Structure formats: structure tokens, C-alpha cells
Amino acid sequence: MKLLTLHDLNRVDSLSFTFEGELDATEGVERALTPLLAALETHAEGWMPTIVKSGRRRKYSREAVWRALEERRDEHGSIIGLFRSENPAVSLTLNLILVPGESSLHASLDVQPLHYFSGQDASRTLVDVARAWAAQYPVAYASAHSIADEQLADAPNFGRDDRETRRDGFDKIYELCWLNIFGPELVESVGRERMLSTPAHLVEELPNGSVLLVLRPTAADFDSDEARVAQARAHVHLRPDLDFDTVLRTLRERSAALVPVEPRFHPDVAPFLSRLPDEFAISTRQGQIAELNAFRPPDPEEWLPVAFPSDVENPERLRDHYDDLSEGLVAALHTHVPSIMDETPESLTDLDFYFWRENFPKRYTRELIDSHTAPALGAYLGDVLVRRLGGTWVLREKKEESQVRVGTRVWLPFLRARRYLESRQSLLEYSLTQFFKVAERHRS
């Protein structure tokens, strides 16, 4: 059963609810956390976690939670995960700081996909959970919002460096999210009357002096123009020092950055480029897709119309050397790129993705790349041309002059591999995927 991971959370937008509250554990952790679990069980209809995970997985129950917390307990506290693998997928991390006089609850809830909260009933369930938690565990500030939009807003730093963020926290209203819980201190800094008169879908004063503020009936339409106008009005109401037009322009720019862009990659590199978008932060993905759509790889120049004649006295020995190089690459990378064992066009695409994701040219020394990786990759690339396109090696003493004849052209795989591994950009411009596809087109 697959659980929601950080990588999964970067595939499509999710609703993220971050909550840090005071925790009175003097009468035991179970008693302290019972209201939190009760709120989930009562209100989280449709997205209730079903799995409890510590060192092992258990079906959700309160007893499973208590056992998991005890298994992970140390001198500082305990941390466990609650998950739901069905749609919508849910990841809830509970991090308890259990230090006498300083106990606290840190909860991080992600529900994917965000559009699950496109209806008022579903959105209301999250509001009900947030209200119940805030009433039981006093907070300075808590919020629920789109992960993608939070990234664009630079949450939780909001333009500050990490040190300043840790020192000051959310000490003023840097941003308004779809759902906000303002603690008493933050409410008083704004003015309780002003806070309670905020133009929003829901403004509710809680018994402990906190204020629950929900901008819109539904969470999923945060990037609509109507929602952005409402967000700007509420923000400027709470921060009169801000300019409405400036705030709204920034919000609209963020919405524009999230408008889906249809991938239209160059066909010679589409198998490779289609793997890249999920590696970018979800907030920048659409812009990256647009850039990749515009990318046009240069035509391969690592070929000759007429072969250099072979100048090798012992071809079998050189071919054995190339085989050793290729097998060395397979041995080094087969756990990272399993398809490398097959010497197929797909394995070349998998290698393209691996080298790009690892930023191999920057991560490893130039000496290692030039003396080991590039020659091994050249030998492997040549072998794929031989095996899959019926090519024939034309060997030269100088590696970069060794060729593979395919149809009416001869190709220079060692030269291509060297150029390919020069930089991360060169991994795109000299991809193995494109090299194979162009050679395949000229096979006859």
C-alpha cells in the first residue's frame, strides 16, 4: 500500500494545513491528544487517515496511535505519521515536543489533490477540524492553503532570511491564506475590532481569544480572480500600510504562474523532457514547461558522411576494451538505472534523466568524468547504436574518432558523450535520446 511522500506532494497541488499549538501533557499524552483525534474522527469525513505509521504500519485506531507514539518516544518527545492511501491521499505528521513546561504539538496535514476541496461541504470539514484544534491547543498562528501558492509567497519566510524567520515567526500578517487562525497576541496587534470586521467568508472569535478567518467558501478556487480580489481586500484591511493595487497585482501574477501549460516538447527529446516537470517545484512547473516547450536542441554534429578508415592494429583488443568500459558503466549505474542492462533507446532516456536529476557534471569531478564516465558512456552509446540500429564499429586509436556506421552516416559516440557531460545544460543540448533518434532516422 503506497503512502503519500514528499515527492508525491510535488506532483499535483495539495491543501497544506500547518498547526503549532500548546500542549498540556501533565496528565498524559493520551488524554492530551484525545481531542485532536476526536476532531478528526468527527469532522474529517472523506479524508480521514486510515493508517498509523511509526516503525510499522497499523490500521487507524486510537490504540494504534498510542502504541506508535510510545514506540517513537525519546527524551524530546515523539513523532508519527497518519496516512490515507485512497483518494484523497492524506499525510498527517504529528510531532510532540514533550519537555516539562515547554510541551507543544506540531501537526502538518497535507490532503491531495487540492481540488477535493472544490465544494463547500468538503471545505467545511477542514474548517471544523481547524476550529476544534485551535480551541483545544492555543496557537500563535496557523493556516491552510495551496502548497503551490505558499511556495510562490515564499512561506514561511515571506522574503526574510531563515534566521529572522526563526526569531520572529509570524509576528505580523505577511500573507493571508484561505484559512487562518490568529492567536490573541496577533489579534491584539491588529486590533480585535478591526480583525473581526475583516471582509471574508467567515470571521469567528474563539473562546480562547483566537480568531478563525476563512476567506472563501471553498479552498480550491484560491487562484480565481474573484478569490484574489477578496484576498487582497482582506489583507489590506488587516494591513492598512499595504497598497491594494500592489497586493492584487502580486496575487494575480501568482495565479498566472499556476495556469496549466500543455507540454509540446520537441519530438526528438520529448521522451526525456517529459520526465523533467515533476522534478521542478510545483509552483514553478508551468513556467518550466513553457521553457521546455520552447527548447530546440541543436542538430547533432557528431557524425561524418564518410568514415575515417580504421587505424587499429588489433581491433579485437580495442573492442574488448570498449566492452570493459561499457560493462563498467552498467555495473556502476544499474541500481540507479535498471534499464541500462538492456541497451535500448529507453535506457538512453533513463540515463538522460538520471544524469540531469543528479546534476552529474557539477556533482562529480571533471577528472572522474573525463577519464572514466565519458569514455564509458561513449562505449555504451556506440553499443546501443550497434545493437538496436544494426550499426558497425569503425575503430580508431583516438577514442573520439571511433565511429559507428549506421546506414549512410557514421556517428561519433565518444565525442557526443564528452560534449554531453560538460554541464547540466549540455545534458539537454546533447542528449542521448536525441542522438539515437536522429541516427535512427538516417538508418536508410
Side-chain angles (χ1 to χ4, degrees):
M1 185 180 295
K2 190 177 185 300
L3 303 183
L4 200 59
T5 66
L6 288 174
H7 186 71
D8 295 324
L9 286 171
N10 195 46
R11 290 185 180 275
V12 297
D13 203 1
S14 306
L15 185 69
S16 175
F17 178 35
T18 54
F19 185 94
E20 297 184 12
E22 299 174 16
L23 183 69
D24 182 2
T26 55
E27 297 186 29
V29 171
E30 294 182 14
R31 179 160 185 163
L33 283 189
T34 292
L36 180 143
L37 299 182
L40 282 175
E41 294 164 359
T42 302
H43 301 298
E45 182 179 355
W47 53 272
M48 177 69 193
T50 56
I51 300 165
V52 179
K53 187 174 183 296
S54 54
R56 54 173 292 187
R57 298 183 188 184
R58 296 182 176 92
K59 183 179 179 181
Y60 173 83
S61 68
R62 293 192 189 183
E63 179 61 28
V65 173
W66 310 144
R67 292 177 66 181
L69 286 169
E70 187 58 34
E71 289 172 354
R72 296 298 302 272
R73 183 76 178 263
D74 60 23
E75 66 271 23
H76 303 294
S78 186
I79 180 170
I80 64 170
L82 278 64
F83 297 90
R84 174 187 173 91
S85 58
E86 302 87 355
N87 186 56
V90 173
S91 172
L92 170 59
T93 301
L94 296 179
N95 184 5
L96 310 185
I97 308 300
L98 301 173
V99 179
E102 299 179 10
S103 294
S104 59
L105 163 67
H106 301 250
S108 178
L109 171 69
D110 295 292
V111 183
Q112 184 184 80
L114 174 64
H115 66 68
Y116 174 78
F117 295 102
S118 59
Q120 292 192 35
D121 290 343
S123 298
R124 191 179 300 115
T125 63
L126 195 285
V127 175
D128 291 341
V129 169
R131 178 190 293 110
W133 286 7
Q136 183 66 34
Y137 311 100
V139 299
Y141 175 70
S143 64
H145 199 60
S146 149
I147 286 181
D149 202 45
E150 285 185 333
Q151 291 175 2
L152 291 174
D154 188 34
N157 289 28
F158 305 108
R160 301 170 293 173
D161 60 34
D162 292 341
R163 182 178 179 181
E164 186 180 357
T165 300
R166 286 192 298 269
R167 184 192 67 208
D168 297 337
F170 199 84
D171 59 330
K172 62 181 179 180
I173 302 178
Y174 296 96
E175 182 75 18
L176 270 188
C177 294
W178 168 70
L179 180 148
N180 310 263
I181 301 168
F182 302 108
E185 187 174 336
L186 201 51
V187 172
E188 296 306 328
S189 71
V190 172
R192 187 166 295 273
E193 184 177 345
R194 175 176 288 275
M195 177 76 75
L196 294 175
S197 64
T198 304
H201 167 66
L202 174 67
V203 183
E204 180 180 330
E205 190 170 19
L206 302 181
N208 59 16
S210 298
V211 171
L212 170 66
L213 188 152
V214 181
L215 287 176
R216 301 266 296 163
T218 62
D221 73 337
F222 72 94
D223 56 349
S224 68
D225 198 64
E226 184 180 358
R228 290 308 198 185
V229 171
Q231 187 177 3
R233 283 176 178 160
H235 197 180
V236 172
H237 174 84
L238 295 171
R239 285 279 306 275
D241 57 307
L242 299 178
D243 176 68
F244 174 80
D245 291 336
T246 302
V247 171
L248 182 58
R249 181 169 60 252
T250 299
L251 295 175
R252 283 173 168 164
E253 288 171 355
R254 280 164 35 187
S255 291
L258 297 174
V259 173
V261 176
E262 182 181 354
R264 292 192 177 93
F265 305 135
H266 189 286
D268 284 348
V269 285
F272 171 31
L273 299 190
S274 64
R275 304 275 293 276
L276 302 189
D278 282 352
E279 300 302 308
F280 297 111
I282 193 168
S283 56
T284 66
R285 185 168 303 157
Q286 304 311 316
Q288 296 290 349
I289 291 173
E291 288 186 20
L292 293 174
N293 281 346
F295 172 69
R296 293 294 178 268
D299 292 333
E301 298 179 347
E302 299 81 16
W303 65 276
L304 299 168
V306 179
F308 290 126
S310 178
D311 61 357
V312 175
E313 294 183 1
N314 191 335
E316 289 186 5
R317 172 191 262 178
L318 190 56
R319 281 294 292 117
D320 287 344
H321 175 56
Y322 286 3
D323 287 344
D324 290 343
L325 286 173
S326 183
E327 289 169 6
L329 186 76
V330 172
L333 297 183
H334 72 278
T335 57
H336 304 288
V337 188
S339 65
I340 197 174
M341 307 282 289
D342 303 326
E343 293 185 345
T344 61
E346 291 74 24
S347 71
L348 296 179
T349 297
D350 290 343
L351 283 168
D352 280 334
F353 181 61
Y354 168 77
F355 285 122
W356 183 90
R357 185 182 58 197
E358 295 295 309
N359 198 358
F360 199 91
K362 183 176 182 180
R363 184 175 178 185
Y364 293 90
T365 66
R366 181 50 46 188
E367 191 278 332
L368 172 71
I369 291 172
D370 291 343
S371 63
H372 295 284
T373 312
L377 184 60
Y380 181 85
L381 178 58
D383 282 345
V384 175
L385 297 182
V386 170
R387 189 170 197 184
R388 300 302 171 183
L389 297 181
T392 305
W393 277 105
V394 182
L395 304 177
R396 300 278 292 180
E397 287 291 347
K398 187 176 180 181
K399 278 190 181 70
E400 291 191 1
E401 292 181 358
S402 278
Q403 308 136 78
V404 175
R405 185 191 305 278
V406 177
T408 59
R409 286 188 177 186
V410 288
W411 300 88
L412 303 166
F414 288 100
L415 178 58
R416 181 72 172 194
R418 178 179 65 76
R419 291 174 172 173
Y420 172 74
L421 288 169
E422 287 178 355
S423 68
R424 198 179 206 191
Q425 182 62 25
S426 70
L427 297 176
L428 298 176
E429 295 175 350
Y430 298 95
S431 75
L432 309 178
T433 299
Q434 181 208 17
F435 190 69
F436 182 90
K437 280 186 169 291
V438 175
E440 185 179 36
R441 281 203 299 274
H442 289 86
R443 179 166 43 176
S444 58

